[in-house]
Amino acid sequence: MSRILIEMKGICKEFPGVKAVQDGLFSLEEGEIHSLIGENGAGKSTLMKVLYGMYVPEEGSIAVKGETYPSLTPKQAIGLGIGMVHQEFMLVREMTVLENIILGFEPRRGGRIDRRAALEKIEYYADTYGLRVHPDKKVEEISVGEAQRVEIIKTLYRGAEILVLDEPTAVLTPQEAEQLFCILRSMKEGGKSIVFISHKLQEVLAISDRITVMRGGKHIATVAGSSTSAPELARLMVGREVFLGGSPVPAAKGDVALSVENIFVPGEKELSKLRGVSFSVRKGEILGIAGVNGNGQSELAEAIAGLRQVQRGRVVLGGAEVQNMPPRRIREHGLSHIPEDRNQRGLDRFSDVKENLAACSVSEPPLSSLGVIRWGKVREFAEGLIRSYDIRPAGADIEASGLSGGNAQKVVVAREVSRKAEVLLASQPTRGVDIGSIETIRNELNRAKEAGAAVVLISSDLEEILSLSDRIAVMFEGRITGEVDSSEADEEKLGLLMTGGGTHV
Amino acid sequence: MYKTSWGSTLMTIILSLALGAGAILLLGYDPIEAYYQLFRGAFVGKFNIGGVMERFVPLMLTALAFAVSAKVAVFNVGVEGELYLGAIAAAWAGYAFTGLHPLVHIPLCFAVAMVASGAWGAIPGALKAYWKVNEVCVTILMNYVAIYFTSYLVGNPFSARASIPRTPTIEESARLLRILRPSRANIGLFVALGVLVLVWWMLYHTNWGYKLRHVGQNPFFSEYVGIPPKKVMIWGMILSGAIGGLAGAIEVMGIHGHFLDNFSPGIAFDGMLASLIAKNDIRMVPVLSLFLAVLKTGALGMERFTGVPKTLIDTIIAVFILLAAMEGLFAYSRRRSARSSGEEAA
C-alpha cells in the first residue's frame, strides 16, 4: 500500500441557498490516478477547489502528507505540491507559451530572465511526459489541446506532485483526449498523483486506479477502477438505473423528408468548408453524422437551418428548395433545430424560461392573437413543457441563465421537439449535459423518430451516434467520407472514416 | 440587464440629496432652507408645477427614445438631432397648412415630425445592422448635421424674416392647449404619457415588442428562432427616432409656437442621462425624468430666495448619476458572484 497523500474528511461547503458539498470525503494515494465523478452540480469541482484553497470550507479537515489543516490558501496548496488545471484555462493569450509557463516564477540570471534555463526545464517535461508544446508561439495561436498541455507544464513547473484536472477532456477531440491519457499515464509512472474530474464514464474507466462517485454534494462510493463497470457507475451517479447505449429502435420508414444535394458552404476554417456534401433522410429514421469536431459539421447544420450562406447545391425540405432562405421560412417548411451552442443560439439567457420556450410559437395562435401576446396562454404552454420535459427548477419565470447546463438544454429540446416538425436537426444535443439529462434527451430523439420525424443527429460522441442512428454518415474535412448502416458500423470502421481513411480504401 | 427596484432608486435619491446638503453647508448656506425653497420652486403654485411639467415632457420623451433604441442594443446619442428635425418638421406643418380642424392639424404635425425623425433614426440603425458601423460615432456626427440643417432651413426657406432666426408662427389649429396657466405646460403632457404607456405595452405585450427585446438581448438567438435581427434593429431605431421627433414637435406646438434656431439646451442629453440612470427600464423612465425636471425647475427658486447657485443642482445630479452607476456596479458584482457560486452548485 502506498503512502496516503491527501485525506479530506467531513468537508462542508455552502453557497447561498445551496449545500454544495456535505460531509465530503476524499483520499489520494501516492502514484495513483483517482477519478472524481458525478453529474453537474454534484460538488466535484467545489470539493477540489477546497483542496486547492480557493474555497474555505465551513467544516471538515484536510490532511496533506500527514499534516492536518482546517483550510488551505492557494499559496499553501502550491507550497504543498498541489497543482490544479482548471476547466477554463488561465493563460494570457497575448503572451508566448514560454512566458505563460514561467510567469511569476521566472528563473533569473543577474537581473534578467534566464530563457535557456526555462527552455531546458520545459523540454525536460516535454520529453519525460510527452507534453509537446511550442514554447515560442503565442497562446492565442495554439490549439485547445496544446493549451491544456501548457497548463499542465505550468503546474509541474511550480513543483506540483499532485495534479487536479477539472474536466480536462470536455474541450478535447477524441484524439486529443487519447493523447492526454498517455500523458497522464506517463506522469503516474513518473510518480505523480492525479485527481481526474469528469462525468464521462468510458474515460474514467480507461485510466483510473480508483473512482470516487459524488451525488448531490455527498460522497457516495469509492471503488477500484478494475472492479467496476459503466452501468454501475452510472447508477451510483444518478441514484437509479440508467439506460444509455443500447441500439437503435426500429420504426417504420417513410418518404425522404430532407435531402442535401452537393452543397458547398464557406467555413470558419479551411478544413471546415463544405465541399460537396450530399445525403438524404427519410421520415422515421435517424441519420447520425459522426466526425471529429471542426470537419464541417457546424457549417452543415447552419447551412441547413439558413444561418449560413450556401454557395452551390440544393437543400430540399418538404419538397421545396430552401437553401439560403431566411431561417423563419425554413422553419415554416418543417425544420426544427437544436443548435450546438445553446448559450448563444439556443437560448436568450437574459430572458425567462417561458419566453425561451415560446420563442418559435409566440407569434401564432393560441399564444397570441392579432399580434398581442396572451401571457396567460404562454405561461400555460411553458408550464406544460416544463412538466413533460422535467425541467428543473420548475419555474416559468426563472431567467434562463440560472439553469444548469442539462436543464438549459432541455429547454431547447422541449421547444424544438414539441413543434413536431417533419425534420429535426440535432447538433451535439448532449454536449456538456449531465447523465440524467442525456437520457431524457436521447429518449426524446427516439420518440420524435417513432412519431415519424426525420432526424439528423450531428454528434462527436461516437457512442451516442452508434446507439441512436439507423444510418451513419462520417464527415472529414468538409466531405462525407462514407455512409454505413448501423448494423455494420463499429467504432473501428467509423474511426477510419473519421480520419479520412475511407476515401482511399 | 439588471432590473431596477423602486427601493434602491429612492435610496439613491435620498443619498444624493444628503450629499448635496453637505455641499450647501460647505458653501455657507442653510441646506434645509435651500431644499425648502427648491421644493417650493418646484411644487408650490400653478406656475411652478407647470414649469416642472414643461421640462418633464421633453425629458421623458427623449429618455424614452433612448431607452427604446437601447432595447435593440443601439446606443443612440442622436436623439438631440431627432428632436431638432421633429421640431422643424412640426413647425413647417404647423404654419404651411391652413384652415384645418385642430383634430386633423395636430395629428398631422405629429405625423410629419415623427416620419422625418424616424427616417433620420433609420440611417444609423441601417449602418449598424448591415455594415456594423459604430452607432455612437454616427449619431454624434449626425446631430451636427441635423442641427445645422435646421439652422439653414430656419435662416432661409422656412424663415419668418424676423429679427431672430425662427419660422413663422404656427396656426392656432396646430397649437397644443395650455394647462396650468400662466406656465407653458400643455396637453403634450398627456400625449407623452400616452406614448409612454403605449410603448411599454408594445414592448411587453405584442409580438413586435417581443422581437425587439430579443434582438437587443441576443441577436444570434433571434436569428435562429426566425426573427430577422437586422430589420428589427432598424425598426427599433425608427421608433426611437419617431419618439425623439415627437418630443421636438411638442416643444414647438405647445411651448414656443414656432421653431427657434438652437432652441434646445441639450434636452435629449438630459433625457439620455435619465434613461441611463433608469437602466433603460421603461417603467423607471418617467420617475427619473420627473426627478430631474423637479431639480432643474426648483433650482431657479432656490437661487432666487437663498442665493445658493443653481449650478449646485447640476452637482447633485452628477452625484446622483455616480451613485446610480455604483448601484449598477454592486448589482453587477452581486450577479457575478451569484453566478459563479451558482455554477458550482449547478
Side-chain angles (χ1 to χ4, degrees), chain A residues 15 18 40-41 46 49 55 307 327-328 331 337 339 344-348 350-351 355-356 359 362-363 368 371-373 375 399 404 415-416, chain B residues 1 3 201 204-208 210-211 213-215 217-228 335 339-346:
Chain A
F15 294 110
V18 200
N40 289 340
T46 310
K49 284 180 180 169
Y55 294 140
L307 299 167
R328 181 184 183 80
R331 281 179 175 272
H337 175 200
Q344 269 224 321
R345 283 277 187 212
L347 292 170
D348 186 345
F350 296 109
S351 285
E355 291 208 359
N356 273 296
V362 73
S363 57
S368 65
V372 180
I373 298 174
W375 284 115
E399 221 177 67
S404 70
R415 181 183 61 222
E416 299 301 325
Chain B
M1 300 287 167
K3 304 279 191 308
W201 182 81
Y204 291 96
H205 288 272
T206 66
N207 286 322
W208 197 71
Y210 181 93
K211 291 179 185 170
R213 284 185 292 124
H214 284 278
V215 164
Q217 282 177 21
N218 186 342
F220 303 102
F221 169 80
S222 306
E223 185 188 20
Y224 150 76
V225 296
I227 301 169
R335 271 177 72 98
R339 183 177 303 169
S340 54
S341 64
E343 262 171 22
E344 299 317 321

Side-chain angles (χ1 to χ4, degrees), chain B residues 125-188:
Chain B
L127 287 173
K128 181 179 167 81
Y130 287 98
W131 293 284
K132 296 187 175 142
V133 184
N134 183 304
E135 75 275 22
V136 178
C137 297
V138 174
T139 50
I140 287 176
L141 294 174
M142 280 179 67
N143 276 340
Y144 291 104
V145 177
I147 294 169
Y148 287 125
F149 180 58
T150 59
S151 278
Y152 158 77
L153 288 178
V154 85
N156 296 288
F158 293 179
S159 172
R161 314 262 171 247
S163 56
I164 49 170
R166 68 172 182 87
T167 62
T169 306
I170 61 173
E171 292 286 305
E172 214 38 53
S173 56
R175 283 270 184 162
L176 296 176
L177 201 64
R178 289 269 167 91
I179 52 174
L180 297 168
R181 281 172 193 279
S183 80
R184 297 182 298 176
N186 54 72
I187 56 166

Side-chain angles (χ1 to χ4, degrees), chain B residues 85-329:
Chain B
L85 284 179
I88 199 151
W92 172 77
Y95 75 75
F97 295 92
T98 54
L100 297 175
H101 189 274
L103 283 180
V104 179
H105 204 173
I106 290 174
L108 176 75
C109 293
F110 283 162
V112 171
M114 288 169 80
V115 167
S117 43
W120 189 250
I123 298 171
L127 287 173
K128 181 179 167 81
Y130 287 98
W131 293 284
K132 296 187 175 142
V133 184
N134 183 304
E135 75 275 22
V136 178
C137 297
V138 174
T139 50
I140 287 176
L141 294 174
M142 280 179 67
N143 276 340
Y144 291 104
V145 177
I147 294 169
Y148 287 125
F149 180 58
T150 59
S151 278
Y152 158 77
L153 288 178
V154 85
N156 296 288
F158 293 179
S159 172
R161 314 262 171 247
S163 56
I164 49 170
R166 68 172 182 87
T167 62
T169 306
I170 61 173
E171 292 286 305
E172 214 38 53
S173 56
R175 283 270 184 162
L176 296 176
L177 201 64
R178 289 269 167 91
I179 52 174
L180 297 168
R181 281 172 193 279
S183 80
R184 297 182 298 176
N186 54 72
I187 56 166
L189 173 66
F190 306 112
V191 176
L193 290 174
V195 166
L196 176 85
V197 174
L198 187 69
V199 167
W200 176 81
W201 182 81
M202 281 204 306
L203 278 173
Y204 291 96
H205 288 272
T206 66
N207 286 322
W208 197 71
Y210 181 93
K211 291 179 185 170
L212 220 64
R213 284 185 292 124
H214 284 278
V215 164
Q217 282 177 21
N218 186 342
F220 303 102
F221 169 80
S222 306
E223 185 188 20
Y224 150 76
V225 296
I227 301 169
K230 293 174 178 165
K231 282 182 195 153
V232 171
M233 181 182 275
I234 296 172
W235 275 110
M237 277 302 286
I238 290 175
L239 178 64
S240 166
I243 297 168
L246 181 68
I250 292 175
E251 285 296 281
V252 166
M253 294 156 67
I255 295 192
H256 304 292
H258 52 253
F259 178 92
L260 185 64
D261 194 17
N262 274 318
F263 75 98
S264 160
I267 293 172
F269 293 104
D270 285 337
M272 187 169 103
L273 285 183
S275 179
L276 283 174
I277 306 169
K279 284 144 199 150
N280 305 321
D281 180 346
I282 306 279
R283 291 166 307 170
M284 296 303 283
V285 157
V287 179
L288 289 154
S289 307
L290 185 66
F291 177 67
L292 293 190
V294 163
L295 286 184
K296 293 216 164 211
T297 313
L300 298 170
M302 182 181 77
E303 186 176 55
R304 194 174 312 134
F305 290 105
T306 65
V308 178
K310 69 170 192 280
T311 41
L312 185 84
I313 292 305
D314 293 326
T315 316
I316 293 181
I317 293 175
V319 168
F320 182 69
I321 291 166
L322 272 176
L323 288 173
M326 269 150 69
E327 186 206 329
L329 213 64

Side-chain angles (χ1 to χ4, degrees), chain A residues 189-478:
Chain A
E189 250 132 69
K192 309 277 180 196
S193 316
I194 294 160
V195 182
F196 182 81
I197 305 178
S198 179
H199 57 232
K200 294 186 188 163
L201 301 178
Q202 299 302 339
E203 294 175 1
V204 165
L205 283 167
I207 64 160
S208 311
D209 297 308
R210 286 197 298 161
I211 300 166
T212 290
V213 184
M214 287 184 78
R215 187 198 325 143
K218 292 184 185 137
H219 174 267
I220 299 297
T222 300
V223 291
S226 52
S227 67
T228 187
S229 63
E232 188 195 355
L233 288 178
R235 189 173 49 74
L236 290 169
M237 271 168 79
V238 184
R240 60 181 165 81
E241 291 295 334
V242 186
F243 299 101
L244 289 180
S247 48
V249 205
K253 284 179 194 159
D255 306 332
V256 171
L258 170 75
S259 66
V260 170
E261 295 165 19
N262 201 27
I263 59 169
F264 286 76
V265 175
E268 290 297 312
K269 297 184 198 142
E270 188 57 29
L271 288 184
S272 60
K273 274 183 186 168
L274 298 191
R275 304 169 169 90
V277 169
S278 306
F279 62 83
S280 63
V281 203
R282 293 173 179 281
K283 289 180 185 169
E285 85 170 338
I286 296 182
L287 172 70
I289 295 186
V292 177
N293 277 343
N295 278 289
Q297 297 97 316
S298 315
E299 284 78 4
L300 176 64
E302 289 186 355
I304 295 172
L307 299 167
R308 188 178 281 268
Q309 175 106 24
V310 177
Q311 286 171 332
R312 249 166 68 196
R314 307 197 308 157
V315 179
V316 181
L317 175 67
E321 276 189 41
V322 298
Q323 71 274 10
N324 296 331
M325 273 191 186
R328 181 184 183 80
R329 299 273 310 280
I330 296 181
R331 281 179 175 272
E332 283 165 3
H333 277 97
L335 182 82
S336 268
H337 175 200
I338 299 168
E340 62 174 33
D341 180 353
R342 68 172 159 271
N343 290 328
Q344 269 224 321
R345 283 277 187 212
L347 292 170
D348 186 345
R349 288 166 60 80
F350 296 109
S351 285
D352 55 28
V353 169
K354 65 177 182 300
E355 291 208 359
N356 273 296
L357 282 170
C360 296
S361 35
V362 73
S363 57
E364 303 153 11
L367 299 192
S368 65
S369 61
L370 301 171
V372 180
I373 298 174
R374 297 156 80 184
W375 284 115
K377 297 271 182 202
V378 172
R379 176 176 296 279
E380 259 173 49
F381 171 81
E383 281 169 354
L385 288 180
I386 289 171
R387 263 195 308 278
S388 51
Y389 290 82
D390 190 27
I391 295 161
R392 277 178 283 181
D397 299 316
I398 295 167
E399 221 177 67
S401 57
L403 296 178
S404 70
N407 283 295
Q409 185 70 353
K410 279 195 229 165
V411 171
V412 180
V413 171
R415 181 183 61 222
E416 299 301 325
V417 174
S418 67
R419 288 179 66 75
K420 305 208 185 316
E422 274 184 16
V423 177
L424 176 62
L425 172 61
S427 213
Q428 315 287 2
T430 59
R431 179 150 77 189
V433 164
D434 60 278
I435 220 168
S437 305
I438 290 180
E439 193 188 15
T440 317
I441 291 167
R442 290 188 184 171
N443 285 341
E444 284 307 327
L445 295 181
N446 270 329
R447 212 168 297 161
K449 159 184 152 183
E450 282 163 321
V455 181
V456 181
L457 169 66
I458 300 178
S459 177
S460 48
D461 181 348
L462 266 190
E463 186 249 307
E464 174 161 284
I465 294 271
L466 284 166
S467 64
L468 289 176
S469 321
D470 300 293
R471 272 188 306 135
I472 300 162
V474 182
M475 281 189 81
F476 176 70
E477 294 189 351

